[in-house]
Amino acid sequence: MQRIMLKSKLHRVQVTHSELEYEGSCAIDETLLEAAQIREYEQIAIYNITNGERFTTYAIRAQRNSGVISINGAAARKANPGDLIIIATYANYSELELEKYKPALIYVNEKNQIIAKKDFIQIQAA
């Protein structure tokens, strides 16, 4: 059996650009792409914390260490500069692969610089 699991997450990154006329995609600082193990042109899910929008697009590279998170094309109507978003990727894993499974969870500061890397989420308290 295959299960679809969270592969990686960029948590609470801030949108720096929103470009309606740019070719559709999401430009992500190359440092963040590598940390979250996201490949250029890989499908990504975006969850907008600020306005509740949820949408799918693909990743492209932005300049390394720039902090750029640019929502482009039609998706630019779903996020504005300053919005906080979560960028997630998912993958299929076999039961055998799940024995060693750990997602790449990347946490950033207000400048989209990495402040923490984890491979688990704490249990939610009652």
Side-chain angles (χ1 to χ4, degrees):
M1 174 181 12
Q2 295 278 310
R3 293 184 190 265
I4 300 170
M5 305 289 290
L6 178 68
K7 180 180 74 97
S8 61
K9 171 175 85 160
L10 293 167
H11 190 72
R12 296 180 67 90
V13 291
Q14 188 172 121
V15 176
T16 60
H17 300 77
S18 182
E19 300 190 30
L20 185 61
E21 299 305 321
Y22 194 85
E23 186 173 354
S25 59
C26 177
I28 301 170
D29 177 327
E30 194 168 13
T31 302
L32 296 174
L33 286 176
E34 289 173 0
Q37 303 168 19
I38 300 172
R39 295 190 62 153
E40 190 169 23
Y41 307 114
E42 182 173 352
Q43 180 176 304
I44 56 176
I46 297 179
Y47 310 123
N48 191 324
I49 297 165
T50 304
N51 66 20
E53 290 281 357
R54 299 167 76 91
F55 55 97
T56 302
T57 187
Y58 59 93
I60 61 172
R61 282 182 296 131
Q63 183 178 355
R64 182 178 295 280
N65 298 319
S66 64
V68 166
I69 302 290
S70 183
I71 308 298
N72 302 320
R77 298 193 185 278
K78 296 182 175 285
N80 295 305
D83 286 0
L84 291 177
I85 63 173
I86 295 167
I87 299 173
T89 63
Y90 298 87
N92 291 315
Y93 296 89
S94 69
E95 293 297 322
L96 185 61
E97 290 171 315
L98 286 174
E99 292 176 12
K100 295 181 182 179
Y101 164 77
K102 292 183 189 244
L105 310 174
I106 309 303
Y107 299 84
V108 300
N109 63 17
E110 64 282 348
K111 295 181 180 179
N112 292 335
Q113 298 167 326
I114 298 169
I115 57 171
K117 297 178 183 180
K118 298 180 182 179
D119 59 12
F120 69 96
I121 297 173
Q122 294 285 358
I123 294 173
Q124 186 170 343

